[in-house]
Amino acid sequence: MKVLFVCLGNICRSPMAAAIFNHKVQQRGLPYQGDSCGTGDYHIGAPADHRTLTVARKNGVQVNHAARQLSNDDLEEFDYIFAMDKSNQFNIQRLPAAQENKHKIRLMREYDPKGLGEVPDPYHGTLTDFQDVFEMLDRSIDRFINELQSKSNS
Ligand code: 4NP
């Protein structure tokens, strides 16, 4: 079971999301795999933003990351594809393989128990914005993993 987290630059939100997901599934001993990518090509090969690294570390999550761009093949390869915001979702849906894989493409905060919305781009923000993003992702991913587990147990 493979889960892809997608943002714009693949240096702030989606690397944090994939690291949180991988941390949680490892803790629970679940055979799931998380990865991330960006719809844009600005930061290909770059590590995660230093604020993503700081906030993740503060919350006990390790991030090992090199940015990459979303490809059409990703839509075939992954079982779930989470867009951080509607603009990312729109760009994912424009790829040719999106037609047959529409059901895989979701907005991350569909799973947020505190409510719907987008995971806002923190790139021009402060460390507090990155912490807010961490908390949204943490809540949403917890709920997503709980649902995966209850599906696999039923
Ligand atoms: P991300 O944040 O999509 O969460 O990785 C951004 C990082 C870089 C840029 C935009 C958003 N940028 O325009 O360079």
Side-chain angles (χ1 to χ4, degrees):
M1 230 284 308
K2 295 178 76 174
V3 183
L4 184 64
F5 300 91
V6 185
C7 62
L8 173 59
N10 192 216
I11 55 170
C12 301
R13 292 166 289 178
S14 63
M16 196 190 283
I20 293 170
F21 180 82
N22 286 330
H23 180 77
K24 287 182 187 293
V25 296
Q26 207 167 25
Q27 273 186 331
R28 298 193 200 186
L30 298 169
Y32 308 146
Q33 239 181 298
D35 190 12
S36 72
C37 66
T39 57
D41 62 1
Y42 329 110
H43 299 282
I44 293 173
D49 186 281
H50 65 95
R51 296 160 297 177
T52 283
L53 294 172
T54 300
V55 165
R57 196 181 313 117
K58 215 177 78 192
N59 289 278
V61 173
Q62 202 188 333
V63 181
N64 297 313
H65 181 66
R68 71 173 183 89
Q69 190 174 23
L70 174 71
S71 77
N72 195 52
D73 290 347
D74 287 322
L75 294 174
E76 310 279 2
E77 186 182 335
F78 287 86
D79 302 293
Y80 290 87
I81 298 164
F82 284 112
M84 296 296 126
D85 62 36
K86 287 181 183 164
S87 161
N88 309 146
Q89 189 181 32
F90 178 77
N91 285 318
I92 299 166
Q93 283 165 342
R94 284 201 314 190
L95 290 173
Q99 296 288 347
E100 284 176 15
N101 295 287
K102 247 189 202 121
H103 59 286
K104 298 179 180 177
I105 305 166
R106 313 280 178 85
L107 265 182
M108 183 79 259
R109 289 191 67 202
E110 278 176 35
Y111 284 89
D112 188 345
K114 285 204 176 166
L116 294 172
E118 300 180 301
V119 181
D121 181 354
Y123 188 57
H124 295 290
T126 65
L127 205 56
T128 306
D129 298 312
F130 279 74
Q131 179 64 31
D132 291 345
V133 163
F134 185 95
E135 286 166 22
M136 280 174 202
L137 292 172
D138 194 60
R139 297 193 295 267
S140 307
I141 290 168
D142 243 349
R143 178 151 168 226
F144 171 59
I145 295 173
N146 288 342
E147 287 195 15
L148 281 182
Q149 273 195 288
S150 55
K151 260 189 210 164
S152 72
N153 291 336
S154 62

